[in-house]
Amino acid sequence: MRDLAAGMRYLGRGQRWVAGHGRWFGFGLLPALVSLVLYAAALTALGFFADDIAAWATPFADGWDELWRDSLRVLFAVLLWVAGLLLSVLTFTAVTLVIGDPFYEKLSEQVEESEGGAPPGPGRPVLLEVWISLCDSLYVLWRMLLFTVPLFLLGFLPVVGQTVVPALGFCVSGFFLTLELVSVAMQRRGVPVRERLRILRTRRALALGFGVPLVLLFLVPLLAVLLMPGAVAGAALLVRDLLDEGERGEDEGPDDRYGTGTPGTSGTVPRPGGISAPKTPQPEPWTRGGTPR
């Protein structure tokens, strides 16, 4: 329960941060507005053609009594549109992050600087960063579909399909939404997408506390746009918790949170992405004591 509440607090802290930094709030709105227009058009088209898709997908019901046939197809059309809406909640973030990768990278970096310092980025070209973000988003979407497709089919079950399945759907969407949002700060640290997934699995309650309320709020289109900058800011703060970067050893110098080799540190050697590490073997920065956080 503590992690669940902590996730909600990070969401609130991110919104408060952008509210207090109006320039960065406006900076993060533009990509979300572009995505909103694209998704509004797609969902409108899905709603318009949902009946035709339902008829095409249920040819076996052509010979049924009209009442039962129409009831099945209306249920199918409604579930199809709801599935599209829930899918759009997750992919909205993915598409917005790809569109606004340079915007959100700077926003995330500023949030971390205000909290004591951000790690140096990998120094890759912008187009390469966008390509990596796109590939990571497609991987996350594929993993999410492994859960949402079975849940969509289970939605046809009486009672359970209208109660338990939607609740599970929101949890799945919330978890993967968090995975998308932490990608900005994680990618800057060189943490690959599969490792991000593993890390979040060790703190599921934290991820759900952050992501599930955001999924519910994102169901309101305009709120999705307004909350996106704060969601990125909150995810940057959450990453610092996930990777335990708020804790500092007694022998660390004041400017050596990321092992940059500044005065007050022991000997360091460069690591990939510009981050330095002690010469003696140490666990990766997102672990402590050799075990995942």
Side-chain angles (χ1 to χ4, degrees), residues 1-287:
M1 288 299 293
R2 179 163 41 181
D3 263 1
L4 195 67
M8 296 179 186
R9 285 197 299 272
Y10 282 122
L11 180 58
R13 285 181 60 191
Q15 300 303 326
R16 287 195 299 272
W17 192 94
V18 295
H21 299 76
R23 171 173 171 264
W24 291 102
F25 174 71
F27 193 71
L29 282 182
L30 184 58
L33 284 171
V34 174
S35 295
L36 176 64
V37 173
L38 295 175
Y39 276 93
L43 287 173
T44 300
L46 180 61
F48 186 79
F49 292 107
D51 291 339
D52 295 332
I53 296 172
W56 170 81
T58 57
F60 56 84
D62 288 342
W64 291 12
D65 179 78
E66 183 179 354
L67 175 63
W68 291 108
R69 182 191 65 213
D70 291 348
S71 298
L72 172 67
R73 288 177 174 171
V74 168
L75 176 62
F76 184 95
V78 170
L79 288 175
L80 178 65
W81 194 87
V82 169
L85 180 64
L86 289 176
L87 184 60
S88 71
V89 170
L90 178 63
T91 56
F92 174 86
T93 302
V95 170
T96 303
L97 289 175
V98 171
I99 292 173
D101 184 77
F103 294 82
Y104 294 129
E105 171 61 32
K106 291 299 295 181
L107 171 59
S108 176
E109 184 179 342
Q110 286 297 315
V111 172
E112 294 208 59
E113 288 291 350
S114 71
E115 291 293 310
R124 293 186 287 254
V126 173
L127 289 179
L128 180 58
E129 289 286 345
V130 172
W131 173 251
I132 292 173
S133 295
L134 178 60
C135 293
D136 289 351
S137 294
L138 289 174
Y139 174 81
V140 172
L141 177 61
W142 173 72
R143 293 301 298 260
M144 185 268 298
L145 288 175
L146 294 179
F147 293 92
T148 55
V149 170
L151 287 174
F152 174 75
L153 297 175
L154 290 173
F156 288 98
L157 295 176
V159 182
V160 173
Q162 292 75 53
T163 53
V164 177
V165 171
L168 290 175
F170 281 120
C171 290
V172 169
S173 297
F175 179 86
F176 284 102
L177 179 60
T178 303
L179 180 59
E180 279 287 357
L181 287 166
V182 301
S183 67
V184 179
M186 291 280 200
Q187 189 172 312
R188 184 164 59 249
R189 291 164 169 80
V191 183
V193 64
R194 289 175 176 80
E195 184 66 19
R196 298 170 211 163
L197 178 60
R198 187 185 66 78
I199 293 169
L200 279 182
R201 280 174 173 168
T202 67
R203 304 285 296 277
R204 284 188 180 90
L206 184 67
L208 292 175
F210 186 86
V212 172
L214 203 54
V215 167
L216 296 173
L217 292 169
F218 273 18
L219 292 176
V220 183
L222 290 179
L223 271 183
V225 173
L226 295 174
L227 296 177
M228 189 64 189
V232 173
L237 298 171
L238 185 143
V239 165
R240 297 174 72 84
D241 183 343
L242 280 173
L243 306 187
D244 208 17
E245 292 177 359
E247 297 178 6
R248 302 176 62 186
E250 293 179 0
D251 58 343
E252 283 186 290
D255 298 311
D256 193 43
R257 180 172 298 185
Y258 301 103
T260 54
T262 53
T265 66
S266 56
T268 59
V269 294
R271 296 179 60 190
I275 304 176
S276 300
K279 290 180 180 178
T280 54
Q282 295 290 331
E284 293 297 332
W286 50 86
T287 62

